């Protein structure tokens, strides 16, 4: 195996810094944990983690090469992803005044498949992963190397979203959410909508 421990540590550190920047997944899983609690938010967070990690796998398999050869494929994914984020934002905005959902019900796609769909709606992580992989690891990677790198990315994503869903479901944070549900939901919707719009406009 040509991948070293030092390279993996650097990869984990770079990925952790990138994940901590607010994005649609962070906003959505936080809002899910507030509204539905830890038990329902965790599968959603794991779906988000898997969806995000798949962009690493796609980059390892050469998706960014396809984007360079056929730029319209990235444009198509970007427009479709931005439209999906705006739709999610509209649903959150429209339901902000609704009563709190039954914790047994999945709301607005807040399920494992819904989490995957949300993080797969943004193709930018494929470019991020591609740049990071090229800057940290050797240009030629074996199948074993790629498996180790993907397993590392998946582990980091799972750890982050598990921790975030658990933290945001703490009772005192949920009580704050209950007291300000309308404005928190509207704020989350506005942020996700702006992220979707920026994806479409390439801001």
């Amino acid at each position: 195996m040509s991948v070293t421990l030092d390279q993996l540590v650097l990869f984990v550190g770079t990925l952790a810094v990138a994940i901590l920047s607010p994005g649609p997944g962070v906003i959505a899983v936080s809002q899910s944990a507030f509204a539905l609690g830890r038990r329902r938010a965790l599968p959603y967070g794991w779906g988000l983690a898997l969806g995000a990690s798949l962009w690493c796998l796609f980059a390892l398999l050469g998706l960014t090469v396809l984007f360079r050869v056929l730029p319209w494929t990235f444009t198509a994914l970007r427009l479709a992803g931005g439209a999906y984020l705006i739709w999610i934002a509209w649903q959150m905005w429209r339901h902000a005044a609704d009563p709190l959902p039954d914790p047994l019900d999945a709301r607005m796609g807040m399920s494992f498949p819904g989490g995957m769909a949300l993080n797969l709606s943004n193709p930018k992580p494929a470019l991020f992963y591609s740049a990071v992989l090229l800057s940290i690891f050797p240009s030629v990677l074996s199948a074993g190397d790629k498996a180790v790198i993907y397993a590392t990315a998946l582990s980091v994503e799972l750890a982050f979203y598990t921790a975030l869903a658990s933290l945001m479901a703490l009772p005192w944070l949920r009580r704050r959410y209950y007291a300000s549900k309308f404005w928190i939901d509207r704020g989350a919707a506005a942020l996700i909508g702006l992220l979707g719009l920026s994806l479409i406009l390439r801001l």
Side-chain angles (χ1 to χ4, degrees):
M1 188 175 73
S2 58
V3 171
T4 68
L5 180 59
D6 288 344
Q7 289 170 336
L8 288 175
V9 169
L10 180 58
F11 178 56
V12 169
T14 304
L15 182 54
V17 171
I19 291 175
L20 288 173
S21 61
V26 171
I27 298 166
V29 78
S30 299
Q31 203 264 354
S32 174
F34 287 150
L36 302 176
R38 181 176 178 272
R39 184 176 177 183
R40 284 311 310 264
L42 278 176
Y44 187 54
W46 294 334
L48 286 161
L50 181 58
S53 73
L54 285 176
W55 285 120
C56 176
L57 181 61
F58 297 156
L60 286 168
L61 296 178
L63 180 64
T64 48
V65 175
L66 175 65
F67 287 161
R68 286 195 294 269
V69 174
L70 299 173
W72 67 266
T73 58
F74 179 72
T75 301
L77 278 173
R78 181 170 52 79
L79 294 176
Y84 180 71
L85 290 179
I86 290 173
W87 180 81
I88 290 289
W90 167 243
Q91 294 300 311
M92 293 177 69
W93 184 278
R94 190 163 63 92
H95 291 284
D98 291 356
L100 286 169
D102 186 331
L104 297 178
D105 295 332
R107 184 170 64 107
M108 294 181 298
M110 288 182 175
S111 59
F112 185 85
M116 280 189 62
L118 183 63
N119 261 351
L120 285 173
S121 68
N122 182 2
K124 283 186 175 180
L127 302 179
F128 165 78
Y129 271 114
S130 180
V132 170
L133 294 174
L134 288 173
S135 64
I136 294 177
F137 299 107
S139 57
V140 178
L141 296 169
S142 68
D145 292 331
K146 292 178 181 180
V148 169
I149 293 170
Y150 174 68
T152 301
L154 177 60
S155 298
V156 172
E157 299 279 4
L158 282 171
F160 172 77
Y161 281 106
T162 297
L164 183 62
S166 300
L167 176 65
M168 294 304 177
L170 290 174
W172 68 273
L173 284 174
R174 294 192 74 195
R175 285 195 295 271
R176 294 282 184 92
Y177 171 75
Y178 296 155
S180 308
K181 175 185 180 298
F182 177 84
W183 295 112
I184 291 174
D185 285 8
R186 284 283 171 94
L191 288 173
I192 290 180
L194 288 173
L195 288 168
L197 187 61
S198 69
L199 189 57
I200 291 172
L201 299 177
R202 299 193 71 172
L203 297 178

